Amino acid sequence: MKTSIALIGFMGAGKSAVGKVLAKRLEKTFIEVDSSIERKAGKSIPRIFKENGEIGFRELEIKVIKEIAASKNQIISCGGGAVLNRINIERLKQDSVIVWLKVSPSVVFRRTGLDVYTRPLLGGIQGSEDIRHLLNFRRPFYESSADFAVNTSKLSIDRVVNLILDKLKEYADYNR
Ligand code: S3P
């Protein structure tokens, strides 16, 4: 029986906002992979990217997800690129139903404000067309990782949470 839910999806999809509410509703522990990476590294994500590069960041991400995946009863908010390394998903899948929060490029653009300071991968991105490219590249990774998806582009946080709770009822191997 699975006891956790892992939220995947692009930057700005609402993984953390939705995850916090979901954790309250289900009385489970909310865990943000990015914050755990920052704690482990003792520095911020932009600094990790700057000093260790994206590869250094991905290596840390793999280590942290391995540790997180060993605990139960969690709502795990994954960084947008966690799906790029299949090992992360294999580890998460052992105890988590994987939920893909979908989002349109224009909404990503609006929600992130292309904030390069907190999201280094947005550096070099000019607008929603560039976001569309990156999203198109990532889509198969999200698609093949997810048990199910919810499009958050036009929905409130509560509505997304309710949809997730509804869909979870179809999962016999998930233990509420
Ligand atoms: C990343 C997304 C970020 C963070 C890092 C890389 C990505 O997390 O993990 O900057 O590759 O999409 P959020 O999706 O929470 O912004």
Side-chain angles (χ1 to χ4, degrees):
M1 277 291 187
K2 296 181 179 183
T3 67
S4 298
I5 297 162
L7 302 175
I8 60 169
F10 205 73
M11 292 169 267
K15 292 162 291 185
S16 297
V18 167
K20 281 177 194 158
V21 177
L22 197 56
K24 272 216 180 95
R25 294 275 296 272
L26 293 173
E27 296 181 2
K28 293 184 187 268
T29 310
F30 175 71
I31 301 269
E32 203 162 32
V33 174
D34 283 351
S35 308
S36 305
I37 292 172
E38 289 184 321
R39 260 198 314 278
K40 194 175 183 72
K43 54 189 175 189
S44 69
I45 291 188
R47 246 186 87 196
I48 300 171
F49 268 79
K50 197 159 165 240
E51 294 173 9
N52 311 84
E54 182 173 350
I55 292 179
F57 173 79
R58 297 293 171 209
E59 283 169 351
L60 270 169
E61 190 174 47
I62 288 171
K63 280 191 194 140
V64 165
I65 289 180
K66 184 180 182 189
E67 287 165 13
I68 290 174
S71 297
K72 295 185 108 36
N73 287 302
Q74 306 177 101
I75 308 299
I76 305 162
S77 169
C78 298
V83 290
L84 299 173
N85 288 300
R86 186 71 202 176
I87 184 97
N88 293 328
I89 300 303
E90 295 305 328
R91 286 183 171 140
L92 287 167
K93 266 188 184 294
Q94 293 181 359
D95 186 57
S96 299
V97 175
I98 315 272
V99 180
W100 173 20
L101 298 187
K102 284 179 154 183
V103 66
S104 69
S106 56
V107 173
V108 171
F109 186 65
R110 181 158 49 76
R111 287 188 189 156
T112 62
L114 296 187
D115 181 358
V116 190
Y117 179 68
T118 54
R119 291 178 161 119
L121 273 196
L122 293 177
I125 283 184
Q126 308 284 336
S128 33
E129 232 356 85
D130 291 344
I131 293 174
R132 191 182 306 279
H133 274 306
L134 192 50
L135 252 172
N136 282 342
F137 173 77
R138 295 250 178 111
R139 183 168 297 109
F141 292 90
Y142 294 129
E143 224 152 38
S144 64
S145 305
D147 289 300
F148 64 85
V150 174
N151 193 325
T152 70
S153 300
K154 293 181 181 155
L155 300 179
S156 68
I157 294 170
D158 282 333
R159 185 90 182 87
V160 174
V161 169
N162 286 335
L163 279 173
I164 293 174
L165 293 175
D166 266 359
K167 294 209 181 196
L168 277 174
K169 290 179 190 148
E170 293 164 23
Y171 285 80
D173 63 344
Y174 170 73
N175 186 351
R176 236 145 301 148

